[in-house]
């Protein structure tokens, strides 16, 4: 079975502060990990994927297989980062996408 | 490009009524998914379909049925709606391979009274 856990339901920071949204996973094989974001009144959309090792909108995430974690980080939060963030895992077969419970990020001015 | 289209956007049902949520994608994707989104629970997978003609249960399939009508369409049916099925439902699609992006519909807000 595959499982994704996001321990924080709400994270509130001030503009310019660092942000870390936690994600832990459980999977017996080699998973693909993603972060999706849902801005107010918009569709859920992909933010970044671990295999691309990319930085999107200043966000990065590193897959730590030893700790089975894929935390999302940004050094300086912006007000426009306020949104719902979901960590997701896709198994080896590439056909079952599982999401965590989500973390609402609020960036205060 | 339409992407993933869900209908209806809003629906109110009485307990015991039935309805079908429709989903269609125009991206030639193999995999399609139905999720429900509840406060504090995140997105939970109801059913998914890895290809035309196949469907599999997800985390919370009870009370639902699905049909992969063809490659484009994946419908979700509630045979006898219950208040516990009040939720926002999302359809998504992707290629059936790893490291692939899933595309989501705009959601259906369902209230069962």
């Amino acid at each position: 079975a595959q499982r994704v856990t996001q321990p924080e339901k709400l994270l509130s920071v001030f503009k310019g502060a660092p942000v870390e949204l936690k994600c832990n996973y459980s999977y017996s094989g080699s998973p693909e990990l993603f972060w999706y974001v849902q801005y107010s009144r918009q569709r859920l959309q992909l933010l970044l994927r671990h295999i691309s090792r990319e930085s999107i909108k200043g966000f990065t995430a590193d897959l730590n297989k030893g700790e089975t974690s894929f935390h999302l980080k940004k050094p300086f939060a912006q007000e426009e980062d306020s949104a719902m963030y979901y960590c997701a895992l896709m198994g080896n077969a590439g056909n079952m996408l599982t999401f965590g419970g989500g973390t609402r990020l609020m960036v205060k001015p | 490009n339409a992407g993933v289209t869900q209908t209806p956007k809003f629906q109110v049902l009485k307990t015991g009524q039935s309805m079908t949520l429709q989903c269609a994608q125009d991206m030639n994707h193999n995999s399609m998914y139905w999720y429900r989104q509840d406060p504090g629970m995140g997105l939970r997978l109801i059913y998914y379909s890895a290809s035309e003609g196949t469907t599999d249960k997800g985390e919370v399939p009870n009370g639902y049925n699905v049909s992969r009508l063809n490659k484009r369409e994946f419908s979700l049916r509630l045979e006898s709606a219950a208040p516990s099925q009040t939720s926002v439902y999302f359809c998504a699609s992707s290629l059936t391979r790893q490291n692939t992006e899933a595309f989501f519909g705009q959601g259906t807000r369902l209230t069962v009274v």
Side-chain angles (χ1 to χ4, degrees):
Chain A
Q2 54 193 65
R3 182 178 292 276
V4 179
T5 302
Q6 293 178 248
E8 303 140 330
K9 287 187 168 56
L10 174 66
L11 186 62
S12 183
V13 301
F14 285 102
K15 177 182 173 181
V19 170
E20 183 179 49
L21 286 77
K22 291 183 167 52
C23 172
N24 291 92
Y25 68 90
S26 173
Y27 185 67
S28 57
S30 292
E32 298 289 343
L33 275 298
F34 306 82
W35 277 98
Y36 281 79
V37 60
Q38 188 175 27
Y39 299 104
S40 179
R41 300 188 192 86
Q42 294 188 26
R43 300 186 185 208
L44 196 65
Q45 58 188 285
L46 178 68
L47 179 63
L48 55 79
R49 64 196 91 187
H50 93 267
I51 200 165
S52 302
R53 303 186 68 81
E54 56 203 344
S55 174
I56 303 294
K57 298 184 178 182
F59 285 98
T60 60
D62 291 319
L63 178 61
N64 186 323
K65 291 187 177 181
E67 296 183 358
T68 59
S69 68
F70 187 56
H71 302 328
L72 183 68
K73 301 177 183 179
K74 185 170 182 176
F76 307 104
Q78 303 299 315
E79 290 181 66
E80 55 264 31
D81 296 329
S82 295
M84 195 75 181
Y85 290 81
Y86 291 96
C87 183
L89 178 156
M90 180 170 280
N92 295 130
N95 60 5
M96 185 172 173
L97 186 62
T98 301
F99 285 81
T103 298
R104 180 168 298 282
L105 174 64
M106 293 179 58
V107 182
K108 297 176 287 188
Chain B
N1 289 338
V4 179
T5 304
Q6 287 180 238
T7 56
K9 290 185 181 178
F10 302 95
Q11 184 71 51
V12 178
L13 290 178
K14 293 182 179 178
T15 298
Q17 285 186 317
S18 63
M19 80 160 294
T20 299
L21 281 66
Q22 306 287 353
C23 176
Q25 53 89 11
D26 61 1
M27 295 172 283
N28 202 35
H29 286 166
N30 303 92
S31 291
M32 296 187 75
Y33 312 83
W34 275 106
Y35 295 89
R36 58 178 291 172
Q37 183 184 44
D38 301 290
M41 306 290 286
L43 284 161
R44 292 183 292 170
L45 183 63
I46 305 171
Y47 271 93
Y48 66 101
S49 170
S51 63
E52 185 179 351
T54 68
T55 60
D56 289 283
K57 294 179 180 180
E59 184 183 355
V60 288
N62 291 344
Y64 306 95
N65 286 301
V66 291
S67 295
R68 184 72 182 268
L69 304 169
N70 47 56
K71 193 171 187 179
R72 291 187 65 249
E73 298 171 293
F74 188 39
S75 62
L76 178 72
R77 183 161 178 83
L78 287 71
E79 289 291 351
S80 179
S84 61
Q85 294 178 304
T86 293
S87 186
V88 180
Y89 292 85
F90 288 97
C91 177
S93 72
S94 70
L95 294 171
T96 302
R97 60 176 175 82
Q98 285 193 294
N99 191 35
T100 184
E101 177 178 358
F103 293 84
F104 284 79
Q106 79 276 24
T108 297
R109 185 173 294 277
L110 174 67
T111 302
V112 183
V113 299

